[in-house]
Amino acid sequence: MAITKYPLIRYKILDTCFRNPYKNYYFETLLEILNQELFEMTGEENGIKTRQLRDDIAFMRSPEGWGIELAELTDGKKKIYRYEDINFSITNAPLSETEVDQFQSAIQVLSQFEGMPQFEGIQEIIAKLKSNFRVLPIEKPFIGFDRSQDLVGIEHFKGLYNAVQNKTPLSITYKGFQFEEAHTFVFHPYYLKEYNNRWFLFGLDVEKGKPNHNVPIDRIISFSVLNIPFVENHTIDWQDYFSDMIGVSKPEDAALEKVILHFNQTTGKYMESKSIHETQKHKWIDENTFEVSINVYINYELERLILSYCESVKVIEPLHLKKKILERLRESMINYN
């Protein structure tokens, strides 16, 4: 990585030099110190050149930077680089009007999440920011987020979040939809995932030996912390894990498959601007047929997504998915008959 990729580090080093009234920093001295510090911090041997240092100082003096003021000091013919006010620092410089406006907008958006368990830790911060930036209260929300205030089990979120973050084994009491009674098991939590307004906890179920066991938190009755060694997960990259599926369910021994869907004209125009998966490729077969192809694991969530488009979509490939969707549509027809 080129040294020019570390501008904030350079500005901070210069800021420290400019604030020091006990040492005279000349241009050559600044260049030497910068390259020495950069080498120690980054390992880059090719330091910055004279032009880069001049550009850095010019930026720090500009309105786009921090508008720093340097004293008119010399030592013979050499200029001494020092702040006019040695108590000044770019770390405590006031924000520009544009930055304040951006902060105010961000705070107003964050304020609409107050009261949600996921954001409990930032409520005090939001209050302080509102006071410091004099953010006007929102009489009516102007942004609507896809969220539910009545999520079952959301009261567990904070404790589960802490367990994932701090790598804490848990004893979880859980009652699935298909079971009459709850059961308790040892669980090592690795990842929290939200999908379709539900939260899911992923980790190692010791009894089953599954490092990607999926626990919907709305089915958790209770949990407690265990004082046992935490079993690390060194095999699953969770960002990559979810990139090959829609939703959170990964069937056992599943293989990636190419799914081809045909949408009618109206829905096709919508799908053209809203991908259903990151692997999506699409094209118009004719003026009435829009083809979408994705490479995913076929799971329950994919089936539900296809069914949600009802008469607007037709499964082309694979054949077993086409048959499964047709079977479910027939069962649906029975309900209406």
Side-chain angles (χ1 to χ4, degrees):
M1 182 180 290
I3 286 292
T4 54
K5 297 289 183 68
Y6 301 105
L8 293 179
I9 296 178
R10 300 198 306 271
Y11 301 147
K12 188 174 181 180
I13 295 170
L14 289 172
D15 180 62
T16 302
C17 293
F18 296 159
R19 295 181 65 194
N20 188 349
Y22 305 108
K23 183 175 180 179
N24 292 342
Y25 288 96
Y26 312 114
F27 190 88
E28 296 76 11
T29 315
L30 292 173
L31 189 63
E32 181 181 350
I33 290 175
L34 271 172
N35 285 328
Q36 180 180 344
E37 293 281 343
L38 287 169
F39 174 74
E40 292 178 359
M41 297 175 74
T42 68
E44 294 280 355
E45 295 183 356
N46 297 324
I48 67 168
K49 307 300 181 185
T50 300
R51 181 177 178 180
Q52 182 64 64
L53 177 54
R54 293 192 189 282
D55 289 344
D56 286 351
I57 296 174
F59 176 77
M60 293 177 72
R61 300 181 79 162
S62 71
E64 292 77 16
W66 292 271
I68 68 170
E69 297 181 2
L70 297 176
E72 296 295 329
L73 301 173
T74 58
D75 182 3
K77 293 184 178 181
K78 290 185 176 182
K79 180 176 180 178
I80 299 172
Y81 287 82
R82 185 180 300 159
Y83 283 141
E84 182 74 39
D85 177 5
I86 60 173
N87 293 315
F88 174 85
S89 173
I90 61 174
T91 59
N92 58 26
L95 297 174
S96 67
E97 289 186 12
T98 301
E99 290 171 324
V100 170
D101 288 342
Q102 291 174 339
F103 265 107
Q104 288 177 332
S105 297
I107 294 166
Q108 286 182 326
V109 172
L110 284 172
S111 298
Q112 297 188 59
F113 285 97
E114 288 188 275
M116 295 187 68
Q118 302 98 301
F119 296 89
E120 183 178 341
I122 68 168
Q123 291 178 12
E124 185 176 349
I125 297 174
I126 291 174
K128 290 179 180 179
L129 288 172
K130 282 182 176 179
S131 175
N132 291 340
F133 289 98
R134 298 183 179 87
V135 177
L136 296 175
I138 303 175
E139 295 181 1
K140 294 183 179 180
F142 54 84
I143 298 178
F145 295 96
D146 187 14
R147 57 189 172 98
S148 172
Q149 297 282 14
D150 302 316
L151 291 174
V152 178
I154 200 65
E155 67 275 9
H156 300 315
F157 185 91
K158 183 178 180 180
L160 297 174
Y161 176 91
N162 290 335
V164 173
Q165 185 179 43
N166 299 317
K167 300 181 179 180
T168 306
L170 301 172
S171 173
I172 295 178
T173 300
Y174 175 88
K175 184 178 184 297
F177 289 109
Q178 68 274 34
F179 298 110
E180 292 284 336
E181 299 180 358
H183 70 288
T184 302
F185 56 94
V186 177
F187 195 79
H188 297 259
Y190 299 143
Y191 197 80
L192 277 162
K193 171 74 173 176
E194 184 185 23
Y195 176 72
N196 197 25
N197 282 327
R198 293 182 74 198
W199 281 97
F200 300 84
L201 180 66
F202 286 80
L204 171 65
D205 182 326
V206 174
E207 182 180 344
K208 296 181 178 179
K210 289 182 59 177
N212 61 340
H213 188 61
N214 174 349
V215 182
I217 72 170
D218 57 359
R219 306 307 299 171
I220 293 177
I221 305 300
S222 62
F223 68 91
S224 59
V225 171
L226 296 176
N227 187 23
I228 59 176
F230 185 79
V231 179
E232 292 275 6
N233 166 40
H234 299 291
T235 59
I236 301 176
D237 180 330
W238 293 102
Q239 297 296 321
D240 183 63
Y241 180 86
F242 292 106
S243 67
D244 295 325
M245 70 178 81
I246 290 172
V248 296
S249 303
K250 188 173 184 179
E252 295 291 337
D253 303 320
L256 284 173
E257 296 186 67
K258 183 176 183 178
V259 176
I260 298 179
L261 308 171
H262 281 183
F263 292 89
N264 63 19
Q265 184 189 53
T266 302
T267 306
K269 292 179 179 179
Y270 172 75
M271 301 303 299
E272 196 170 15
S273 61
K274 186 181 184 300
S275 298
I276 60 175
H277 191 260
E278 61 187 64
T279 62
Q280 176 170 317
K281 295 181 180 180
H282 54 249
K283 61 183 179 181
W284 285 97
I285 301 298
D286 53 49
E287 63 180 11
N288 296 313
T289 307
F290 185 72
E291 181 177 281
V292 168
S293 65
I294 56 177
N295 291 300
V296 293
Y297 294 109
I298 294 177
N299 59 8
Y300 175 74
E301 290 95 320
L302 174 62
E303 293 179 19
R304 290 291 298 269
L305 177 65
I306 293 171
L307 289 167
S308 71
Y309 288 103
C310 201
E311 78 283 356
S312 301
V313 66
K314 179 180 180 181
V315 179
I316 305 301
E317 294 181 11
L319 182 60
H320 70 90
L321 177 60
K322 182 176 183 177
K323 290 181 177 179
K324 184 63 179 290
I325 296 297
L326 180 59
E327 177 185 339
R328 295 184 67 168
L329 288 172
R330 284 172 175 164
E331 291 178 358
S332 178
M333 288 295 295
I334 293 173
N335 291 334
Y336 284 96
N337 290 332

